[in-house]
Amino acid sequence: MKIPAMLSVEDALERILRYTPVLEAEERALLECLGRVLAEDVRAEVDIPPLPDSAMDGYAVRAQDIRDASLTAPRTLRVIGEAPAGRVFPGEVRPGTAVRIMTGAPVPRGADTVVPFEETDEMNRRRSPGAGGDVAIRKAFSAGAHIRNAGEDVRKGTTVMEAGAVLRPAAIGVLASVGRATARVVRRPVVAVLATGDELMEPGLRLEAGQIYNSNSYSVASAVLRYGGIPKVLGIARDNLPDLEAKIAKGLEADMLITSAGVSHGDYDIVKDVLAQKGEVAFWTVRMRPAKPLAFGALVQRLPGGRERRVPHLGLPGNPVSALVAFEIFARAAILKMQGRKKLDKPSIEAILEEPITNSDGRRVYARCAVTRRGGRYYARLSGSQGSNILTTMARANGLAICPEDVAQLNAGQTARVLMLDWDEYQALDEQD
Ligand code: AMP
Ligand code: MG
């Protein structure tokens, strides 16, 4: 296979996404739908609220009866009963009477207004008036006051949520409010995660001389989870073809395979050889720093009956920071696309650089930085050493500041686009000084 030229980040992403399918839909219990994309239009089979109900705790009355009520000349009504939430009051509010009513209770027949307790003598009493007692109304309200109309939130028969919506907590609540216990949502992708390297040892075990702990499997599997995928951790493949091929074969059952290491130019970097032999499309360098060596291909799984299935295989670089940066730029978008998400770009902001970012060789630089906001403006400074093996500075960063390919240096005081790694936490990290 011809070795392709170094691709731009955009070209690489475009190729990856071209081989990344949107997965099929499945029916799921509501609590499993958070963050997932709805695959059906949901229509309400009920009005919400189903009946006119009270917006306050108070007295259901006839507006006509209290039109002259005031603090100095309260109007006294006879209480004929109570209307708690969850029941329809059996009687009727006739002239001169009232029903003590709770928030959410259907408004009794005859009543057209609710007077909140605060506007009655309710608060001055030890005990509330039972049926047969009196209540003094101290303020006039017009008809409809403190009453929520039937269908005010949702009208029966209307579409409350459309296919394509990302289900946030409020959306899950809306589905529940129209009586849905399940929803059709796009399936979550199973993402196989495979580390490669003779030097790797699993955490929790004792290191031998020359070994290091496998951190990529854990950071990558966590990132898979974070973006909605289901990680299937396949352990470590050693740097020989039989072991690598055997472990990759397990990855073919997943929706995507992500390996780390073995894609640069060392003697044992054989992941890309496997891709070159078995993959359908392949590339392995991207004009970016870190993560220049990056492999991608579509592995072909042969199914019974002569059918074939293509499994996207993303070969991340071995260096822990390169692996995560490449994940954020490429794997994240692919995992979101598989789940039917449309917005695939990472959230980004413009920030003023507090120190320069240098670009030595015409690649797009993603510099780990700490973003803060002061006086309503965003500032970015490097979170420490930018070596692609220095994982602690990635852990301390909340953003990746970009120096474009064609810019040799961005100076302090200049503005840079910053991809936000931790948008939520960063919002809270405001105004530190
Ligand atoms: P390679 O791509 O195999 O040349 O690996 C590049 C660098 O990443 C080497 O220093 C490896 O030891 C390191 N590395 C590879 N895989 C892992 C891993 N799973 N966890 C931590 N470091 C790794
Ligand atoms: Mg290696």
Side-chain angles (χ1 to χ4, degrees), residues 195-196 199-200 212-216 260-264 269 318-320:
T196 73
E199 75 279 33
L200 300 179
I212 59 164
Y213 286 121
N214 165 22
S215 64
N216 288 347
S260 71
V263 290
S264 43
D269 290 334
N319 273 309

Side-chain angles (χ1 to χ4, degrees), residues 2 8 27 52 65 73 78 101 133 135 159 182 256 285 296 316 322 326 380 385 398 400 409:
K2 193 169 133 284
S8 70
E27 185 93 12
D65 281 353
R78 190 164 51 80
I101 193 168
V135 63
T159 302
T182 62
M256 184 179 196
T285 48
F296 177 76
L316 301 174
S322 311
S385 163
N398 60 358
L400 295 173
Q409 174 158 313

